[in-house]
Amino acid sequence: MAAYAAGEAAEPLLPAPHLLAPILAGLALALAGFTAGKLPVRVNRLSQALLGVLMGSYLDPRTLDQASAAVLPLTAVTAATAVLSLAAAAVLARFGRVDRATATLGMVAGGSAAVVSCAEELDADPRLVAFMQYLRVALVAATAPVLVQALPASGPTAPGRAVLRPAARYLVDGPHQGTGLLMLAVVALAGAAAGRRVRLPSPALLGPMLLAAAVTSTGTATGFAPAGLLRTALFTAIGLDIGLRFTRPAVARVRHLLPVTLACTLTVSAACAALAWLLSATAHIPLADAYLATTPGGINAVLATAVATHANVPLISSVQSLRLFAMVLLTPLLVRWAVRLRSRS
């Protein structure tokens, strides 16, 4: 309850407050000398499964329709973003003396919550991964509204599905709460079981994500993604799990990594801005919209900026959702490839 209250209080101040506030609380406890801990394994697995359903639900038919006209430039931009992330991770691993798995997860530009939640499973340090991911999210959230105002825009558009916020009392994002919760349980449990059966990396996350994406993209069912109180509790649990792991040496390590991490983050963000210019030129998209579509920030912060600046919300939602899905799906493979490449060199 204390972590939830901290997230509510931080709502006007922080991007992804229910994730960041528990992490910052963990930092405070570590500096006060309390012993680090973590949430029970079953709670962690449940959080990953629910988060996987949430990630998969972004890939709905309307998202696919909005992105279909720019599928080739979008694929190229997503691939280039992955390459940029790997390059930044290599620099961070070399100059920051961070293991390759942690550096790769920390620099992956997309799906911050999902990346953080599966860090330990991929033999990375979840504390450092969270620090790197949310440093980038905070930078984008702080600078995007200012930058977008200076770029050519497309004018007002109707908000897309991903921007709509259900009432706080809701638990899923559809009108039929009972049916939605039942569907959520089925997709989460069946997806996790299938993920383990086919030996997916991070099966508790990727199994439900793939199953939810299949269900929503085919129009089989909707209205079962975590929302309202359940989504808040989910993010709080993920943030609290990371925050409780901090120790004084871990906090000192974060301070040591700040300069090189900030340099890598700014470089990746600037390169993504260049990709936005290319996307704008090739797909004939206004530069402000292209920037918001490609910027490596948290999807909620980007969509909030899009609404506030009257950008093309459906397009931005589509591109951000597809990139989020692709990056979360590719992340375990990228980590294993980077670690294997490092061991051979």
Side-chain angles (χ1 to χ4, degrees), residues 66-93:
Q66 286 290 331
S68 60
V71 63
L72 290 178
L74 173 59
T75 301
V77 166
T78 301
T81 302
V83 171
L84 286 168
S85 299
L86 288 174
V91 172
L92 182 63

Side-chain angles (χ1 to χ4, degrees), residues 239-252:
L240 190 59
D241 187 52
I242 302 302
L244 289 174
R245 297 169 188 259
F246 275 97
T247 61
R248 283 183 176 178
V251 175

Side-chain angles (χ1 to χ4, degrees), residues 15 23 57 71 82 93 111 148-149 193 217 226 313 335:
I23 292 174
S57 71
V71 63
V148 168
Q149 294 289 349
S217 63
V313 178
V335 170

Side-chain angles (χ1 to χ4, degrees), residues 255-282:
R255 287 202 303 265
H256 171 74
L257 282 174
L258 180 58
V260 65
T261 302
L262 185 59
C264 289
T265 300
L266 290 173
T267 301
V268 170
S269 297
C272 286
L275 291 176
W277 181 82
L278 289 174
L279 182 63
S280 175
T282 56

Side-chain angles (χ1 to χ4, degrees), residues 1-252:
M1 289 302 295
Y4 173 84
E8 287 292 304
E11 191 85 41
L13 305 174
L14 296 174
H18 288 284
L19 271 165
L20 287 177
I23 292 174
L24 294 175
L27 280 169
L29 289 172
L31 290 174
F34 288 91
T35 304
K38 57 183 180 180
L39 294 182
V41 173
R42 288 186 179 181
V43 176
N44 184 271
R45 293 288 183 271
L46 176 61
S47 298
Q48 287 192 40
L50 295 178
L51 184 61
V53 174
L54 178 62
M55 297 293 116
S57 71
Y58 282 115
L59 206 66
D60 68 8
R62 284 167 290 183
T63 295
L64 298 175
D65 289 341
Q66 286 290 331
S68 60
V71 63
L72 290 178
L74 173 59
T75 301
V77 166
T78 301
T81 302
V83 171
L84 286 168
S85 299
L86 288 174
V91 172
L92 182 63
R94 178 177 178 84
F95 295 101
R97 297 180 180 179
V98 179
D99 66 272
R100 188 56 68 96
T102 299
T104 302
L105 283 174
M107 287 292 111
V108 165
S112 302
V115 168
V116 169
S117 73
C118 68
E120 186 177 30
E121 234 177 293
L122 296 172
D123 298 321
D125 186 333
R127 299 165 300 189
L128 297 184
V129 171
F131 160 67
M132 290 182 258
Q133 284 287 331
Y134 290 111
L135 176 64
R136 188 188 72 250
V137 169
L139 285 172
V140 170
T143 59
V146 177
L147 292 174
V148 168
Q149 294 289 349
L151 298 175
S154 60
T157 58
R161 170 186 174 275
V163 182
L164 301 177
R165 295 189 63 184
R169 67 180 182 278
Y170 282 15
L171 299 178
V172 292
D173 66 355
H176 306 294
Q177 294 294 292
T179 304
L181 284 171
L182 179 60
M183 189 66 186
L184 171 60
V186 169
V187 172
L189 293 173
R196 287 191 297 270
R197 188 175 183 82
V198 301
R199 298 183 180 179
L200 284 175
S202 302
L205 175 74
L206 293 186
M209 186 182 83
L210 290 172
L211 183 55
V215 169
T216 55
S217 63
T218 58
T220 305
T222 57
F224 60 89
L229 289 172
L230 181 57
R231 182 171 175 171
T232 297
L234 169 62
F235 284 166
T236 300
I238 294 170
L240 190 59
D241 187 52
I242 302 302
L244 289 174
R245 297 169 188 259
F246 275 97
T247 61
R248 283 183 176 178
V251 175

